[in-house]
Amino acid sequence: MTRRDGRGLSELRPVTITTNWQATAFASALIEVGQTKVVCAASFEDRAPQFRRGSGKGWVTAEYSMLPGATTERNQREAARGRQGGRTLEIQRLIGRSLRSVVDTKPLGESTIWVDCDVIQADGGTRCASITGAWVALFAACHRLVKEGRIKEFPIRDHVAAVSAGIIDGAPCLDLPYEEDARAGVDMNVVMTGIGGLVEVQGTAEGEPFARAELDNLLDLASDGIAQLVQAQKRALGPMLGDVPIPPLRRLALGPATS
């Protein structure tokens, strides 16, 4: 199979992550994966949700939206419809679960970090890009909280990132743009930690069922892609990775980029 953009079957689209992209946010990151672009902005609130009050623990959560001009045909704002759609709710819950999988909420005290992910241009993989970029914004927010003395212990234990994979014309492919996603026989989103733990696997046969061997192949592809995304996260954070007090075992996961 030949991909329209000339990539190999196991290649990611070009990935760029820019920290502090939104000057008004507490912390932020712009992630660009091919033509998909997502702004991830972190906000800090010095109070916990009601269900956390009295626990001594904080909370990390996310919201997700797609701007009307993110696709070739205008998306109506969900606020204009008066409610969020099911897809939006599913994705923002996924982002929140993914971030919390690598966060110790006790050092946050009874506070909340929100990460808002707004898609400004969509060409497939928006939920995966949102997770990968949201982690960078969350790290930058926690870095700031520690440097300002608002929390004493850095709460992030590991990276988390996400990538899509699928089977197209019988061939397993990594990181699907919209054109490939729309015709994939199998479509999968994989969320993993930096040290290789699975957080979530969403896999669907769009037509014929797929075999266990094909699932394993796609997971291997995704694992290799996520390792590259983790390196992109490290490069984006640069000096911040060495600028907070992190225990030695955690430093193995959160240390600087290897290349």
Side-chain angles (χ1 to χ4, degrees), residues 228-241:
Q228 296 174 59
L229 290 171
V230 166
Q231 291 303 309
Q233 291 174 328
K234 290 177 182 291
R235 289 192 294 271
L237 289 168
M240 275 191 272
L241 285 165

Side-chain angles (χ1 to χ4, degrees), residues 9-125:
L9 301 183
S10 59
E11 285 186 62
L12 291 173
R13 290 174 287 176
V15 178
T16 302
I17 305 174
T18 306
T19 56
N20 299 318
W21 188 81
Q22 191 171 16
T24 50
F26 187 79
S28 67
L30 170 69
I31 181 166
E32 302 171 74
V33 181
Q35 294 301 309
T36 290
K37 302 181 182 184
V38 186
V39 180
C40 305
S43 304
F44 178 73
E45 191 173 57
D46 199 15
R47 61 177 180 174
Q50 181 65 43
F51 70 90
R52 283 288 206 191
R53 291 179 191 169
S55 69
K57 296 181 179 180
W59 191 243
V60 174
T61 191
E63 290 193 2
Y64 168 95
S65 69
M66 188 176 291
L67 298 187
T71 54
T72 52
E73 292 187 10
R74 182 183 185 275
N75 289 300
Q76 184 183 18
R77 294 184 190 274
E78 291 181 323
R81 295 200 297 264
R83 62 181 179 83
Q84 290 180 303
R87 177 181 180 275
T88 296
L89 290 170
E90 176 211 346
I91 292 174
Q92 65 188 31
R93 287 169 182 159
L94 171 63
I95 299 167
R97 286 195 304 272
S98 300
L99 296 176
R100 290 191 296 273
S101 73
V102 293
V103 173
D104 178 0
T105 56
K106 189 172 182 180
L108 294 174
E110 293 192 18
S111 64
T112 303
I113 298 177
W114 295 81
V115 186
D116 292 292
C117 301
D118 290 290
V119 180
I120 59 177
Q121 187 166 289
D123 184 29

